[in-house]
Amino acid sequence: MYFKTSGLIKALLYIIILLSFHELEARQLPSGITGIVQDSENQPVEFATISLLTADSLFVKGEVTNGNGEFTIRNVDPGTYRLQIRNVAFERYYSDLFDIESGESKTMETITLVRSVSQMEEVNVTAARPIIEIFPDKTVFNVEGSINAAGNDGLELLGKAPGILIDPDNNIVVQGRSGVRVYINGRPSRLSGDDLTAMLQSMQSDNIESIEIITNPSSRYDAEGNAGIINIRLKKNVRLGFNGSLNSNFTQGRHGRTSHGLNTNYQEGKVNIYSNLTGFYNNFQSDFVDTKIQNNLILDQESLGLDRNQGINFSSGIIYDLNEKHSLSLTSNVILNDRNEDTNSNTPITNADNSLLREILFSNVNSNIQSNNYLFSGNYRFEPSGNTTIDVDASFSKFSRTSDADQPNTWFGPDGSTVQREVNNRFLTDSGIDLWAAQTDLEHSFGRLQFSTGGKYSRISTTNDFTFYDIVAGTQIRDINKSNEFEYKEEIFAGYMILQLPVGEKFRLNTGLRIEHTLSDGTLTSEQEIQNQNVQRNYTDLFPNVGISYTNGTRAMLGFSVGRRINRPSYQDLNPFESKLSELVFFKGNPFLEPEKTMNYQFNFSFNQKLTGSIGHSVTSNFFASILEVLETEKTIVIPQNMDNINITSFNISYPLRVMRNWEIIGFGGLNREYYRGQFQNADIDLSVTTYNFRFQNSVTLPAGISMDATYAYYSPFIWRGSLNIQSFSRIDIGFRKNFLEERLQLRITGADILRQGGDFIYSGNYGGMDILGVRSIDTLRGGISLTWRFGNQELRAAKRRTSALEEETQRLSD
């Protein structure tokens, strides 16, 4: 499907081109800014981060103050700017707007910072950040600043971030929308479904610095992800010399979880080398109680599951500054995971008309799953001048997964003791994913006009070998009707261009266009003669992104943007063969799944750097829905299918309130109106729901240097799988933190879902001749303890090349 550019957009692009040439002709000589930063006692503030921002708060460049609190920002183009100043011990500072003329050397009045009382207990740099930061283009959840994050895995952390819901299938839902794409350190992960869940559950909070939620990404990012992007940034130490930390976590609910880690860092001169190593052992409860009424039968299923997950997570990197203009970096991430899943199910089957018990099915699934995930990437950065940056990235990732599952089934008569028949199976799955990607980016400013362009090539290759055995009298017999090999290859060629142009003194226009050409080939190999052995696709799409923003100093910032996104089906959902979850439930892929495509409309606002919110509307065509269909008399099959469309209108708002000097509350609220419509062979879906959620994060400083976090979150009823209704739930989390031994030892005590109100997902549905009522229960009521010991040099590093010392600022750019 090709996107047709309207006449209005054509005219807009024409105007931008004319203005661009005008800006080129009017280019002026660079200017400079100098100043001094001090505290309330007139003492210089060293190592303060000075960021030069445009009138609408886009990062331009920055520096770090020296030992005398002095800073100089050179090569500043004429324009209107403000300064942002940050330091671990002080409140963040914003200057008023000021103008720079051509060739002007501007000296700022002496800047005095206000010391932050709430941060006096912390030495770690990242602890100075608030737990939640709201920006016009993204929301940032600073994990290390959250006491309640201790002992959590990556998936649990996402569930604690504002605006994110983890549904009963462990899918990530952002502002009512699924189809989010997960990035690690700015690089996309193409894992999805169970593979993505396993990766996130193998990541521990001690290795994660922050989670960035970008709901309407710019054209620089891949167009993949209808709901936007979640970028997980791993920790990187910022101290001089050799240093590190040891940490240990333990939480206990119905089952225990533990992790132990070592973080090391060496920073000297032009070289920075860092590494994180974590070993973990986690137990996950997953229980279902499910009642289905179909074909005059009542099926009451009770399923009790326990997953035992252990492994190693290792990440490392090296950054080397060749000189002021050239730098290199290499990073790696390795996750080795060994998982055992045990599920026991009991399903009585009753006649609906006379309530007579017909038979009982006892079934088990016992599987061992081993997965290895490797990611290696490199970056070269060249800054030939103060207004030009060139980046070249290359990355390779490899994922492998082997699963060996036994699935015995025993049918009993109504008395529960007479065996009627046995059906025993075993299935082996061997999956592999290889992903290569290369990208280059160019940024250049022509006066106040900022221009970005780049290109990317990515290739994904997957294999899925599925072997099914019938167990007869203890002998394995390979079933050729259910065994197959599925290969999927996908290539994406992409290019983009972004222009950011001021319009007057208070408005700024942002336009971007991304072009992606996709080639995909899915091939099924089987010993039996089948249809749909090969499905190929070859299509090109345009993904425009246009926005305009308004700023009135720090008092008000407004912005409106329109963007188009895509979500391609996962290779697991494209495999057309049936896989048996039990004797009564089957899953079948759909090779004819079309990509989802979404138009996102979003209005953002911010007042006085506090009240922040957004109003959004999205229209998704070919939405992926998991539809349950009745198969024969008592069996059901789950098939991913394209729904006609879904429409979601959302409103989100946040506000921080300092109740008193040592108590701050951050409030979040979200309201969504959702419509799901689709016509299928055996079912018509027409659902609408209004959902809402709110969250209050309390940060309190108690006597004796104890910090406390207490969070209350509520979620209204919502729609699951595009076809089922989930009832409301809430949860309360609480945590305490205390530092000892000159701030080197930190103790955290946590309580998760302390009233156990968020551990049950109650769902219901009625379509396709089937009534469903059930509940999924997970282990959310947990208590935990965490210890962290910091060793080595604790001195903060001084000014470094801009892209490293100010990496925190550049990571927040919306491009």
Side-chain angles (χ1 to χ4, degrees), residues 47-333:
F47 306 136
T49 299
I50 313 296
S51 301
L52 181 66
L53 308 179
T54 64
D56 54 351
S57 296
L58 293 174
F59 176 80
V60 178
K61 58 176 59 181
E63 284 296 339
V64 177
T65 56
N66 61 20
N68 297 320
E70 302 167 339
F71 68 90
T72 300
I73 303 177
R74 299 180 176 85
N75 298 321
V76 179
D77 292 319
T80 301
Y81 301 97
R82 70 162 49 90
L83 292 179
Q84 174 190 260
I85 303 178
R86 302 179 72 177
N87 181 278
V88 63
F90 299 89
E91 299 286 352
R92 190 182 308 182
Y93 169 87
Y94 289 93
S95 73
D96 293 331
L97 289 173
F98 58 87
D99 294 323
I100 291 289
E101 304 296 336
S102 175
E104 178 183 2
S105 295
K106 185 178 185 64
T107 300
M108 305 294 293
E109 294 184 2
T110 300
I111 298 168
T112 302
L113 300 185
V114 178
R115 189 168 295 276
S116 173
V117 176
S118 61
Q119 302 305 330
M120 293 299 291
E121 301 299 329
E122 287 297 326
V123 173
N124 197 339
V125 174
T126 55
R129 302 176 184 172
I131 297 173
I132 306 294
E133 294 181 285
I134 308 293
F135 303 101
D137 65 308
K138 71 175 72 172
T139 299
V140 180
F141 174 33
N142 292 307
V143 173
E144 191 168 14
S146 172
I147 302 172
N148 292 328
N152 289 166
D153 60 54
L155 190 66
E156 291 171 322
L157 286 177
L158 288 179
K160 292 185 176 183
I164 294 182
L165 170 69
I166 307 299
D167 77 5
D169 290 328
N170 287 326
N171 293 318
I172 304 168
V173 181
V174 179
Q175 295 182 5
R177 295 177 291 167
S178 59
V180 69
R181 179 58 58 191
V182 175
Y183 281 52
I184 307 295
N185 283 341
R187 292 175 172 83
S189 167
R190 284 305 306 273
L191 298 183
S192 58
D194 293 339
D195 296 335
L196 177 61
T197 297
M199 183 193 75
L200 292 173
Q201 289 179 336
S202 301
M203 303 178 72
Q204 304 300 305
S205 61
D206 288 312
N207 291 335
I208 298 175
E209 177 181 307
S210 64
I211 295 172
E212 300 172 345
I213 307 161
I214 309 171
T215 55
N216 202 3
S218 73
S219 299
R220 174 188 293 274
Y221 295 96
D222 291 349
E224 183 88 10
N226 287 340
I229 290 171
I230 291 178
N231 184 31
I232 300 175
R233 292 204 173 272
L234 304 180
K235 286 183 180 178
K236 186 174 68 174
N237 205 314
V238 292
R239 301 181 187 278
L240 288 169
F242 177 76
N243 50 76
S245 64
L246 289 166
N247 55 75
S248 183
N249 300 283
F250 175 76
T251 68
Q252 180 66 49
R254 290 185 60 181
H255 307 283
R257 302 174 194 170
T258 185
S259 67
H260 310 284
L262 169 65
N263 303 322
T264 62
N265 177 74
Y266 176 76
Q267 162 73 28
E268 194 69 41
K270 297 181 178 182
V271 179
N272 182 201
I273 303 173
Y274 60 92
S275 67
N276 302 307
L277 175 64
T278 299
F280 56 88
Y281 183 86
N282 298 327
N283 293 313
F284 300 94
Q285 171 206 0
S286 180
D287 298 341
F288 275 92
V289 177
D290 184 292
T291 298
K292 296 186 185 73
I293 302 176
Q294 61 190 57
N295 293 327
N296 203 36
L297 295 177
I298 301 175
L299 290 78
D300 293 307
Q301 178 181 352
E302 182 181 17
S303 179
L304 305 178
L306 177 62
D307 299 346
R308 299 176 178 87
N309 186 17
Q310 60 182 342
I312 295 174
N313 190 328
F314 174 75
S315 62
S316 64
I318 179 171
I319 301 172
Y320 182 69
D321 294 318
L322 301 173
N323 52 45
E324 289 296 323
K325 295 185 177 181
H326 302 269
S327 64
L328 293 172
S329 66
L330 298 173
T331 61
S332 65
N333 186 216

Side-chain angles (χ1 to χ4, degrees), residues 555-592:
R555 295 189 298 275
M557 287 186 289
L558 307 174
F560 176 76
S561 62
V562 180
R564 189 168 185 260
R565 309 285 296 169
I566 191 173
N567 201 32
R568 301 174 179 89
S570 67
Y571 77 94
Q572 300 101 321
D573 288 344
L574 293 171
N575 189 342
F577 253 49
E578 293 181 5
S579 60
K580 188 168 68 170
L581 306 179
S582 74
E583 274 293 286
L584 297 176
V585 181
F586 297 78
F587 176 86
K588 183 178 181 179
N590 180 1
F592 297 108

Side-chain angles (χ1 to χ4, degrees), residues 20 107 124 169 186 233 287 292 297 332 390 405 442 448 503 514 530 592 626 669 722 771-772 790 803-804:
S20 301
T107 300
N124 197 339
D169 290 328
R233 292 204 173 272
D287 298 341
K292 296 186 185 73
L297 295 177
S332 65
I390 299 173
L442 167 67
R448 299 174 65 190
V503 182
R514 187 177 185 89
I530 55 175
F592 297 108
S626 297
D771 285 322
I772 307 170
R790 300 185 181 94
T803 53
S804 289

Side-chain angles (χ1 to χ4, degrees), residues 10 54 59 76 135 145 228 247 267 630 665 672 704 738 749 762 815:
K10 288 182 180 178
T54 64
F59 176 80
V76 179
F135 303 101
N247 55 75
Q267 162 73 28
V630 176
I665 300 176
N672 302 318
K738 169 68 176 175
I749 298 175
I762 302 173
D815 300 313

Side-chain angles (χ1 to χ4, degrees), residues 327-347:
S327 64
L328 293 172
S329 66
L330 298 173
T331 61
S332 65
N333 186 216
V334 178
I335 301 175
L336 307 178
N337 198 12
D338 188 352
R339 190 176 192 128
N340 290 282
E341 300 180 352
D342 297 319
T343 302
N344 300 304
S345 299
N346 173 21
T347 309

Side-chain angles (χ1 to χ4, degrees), residues 524 529-534 576:
L524 180 69
E529 188 174 337
I530 55 175
Q531 297 178 342
N532 309 329
Q533 286 185 306
N534 184 261

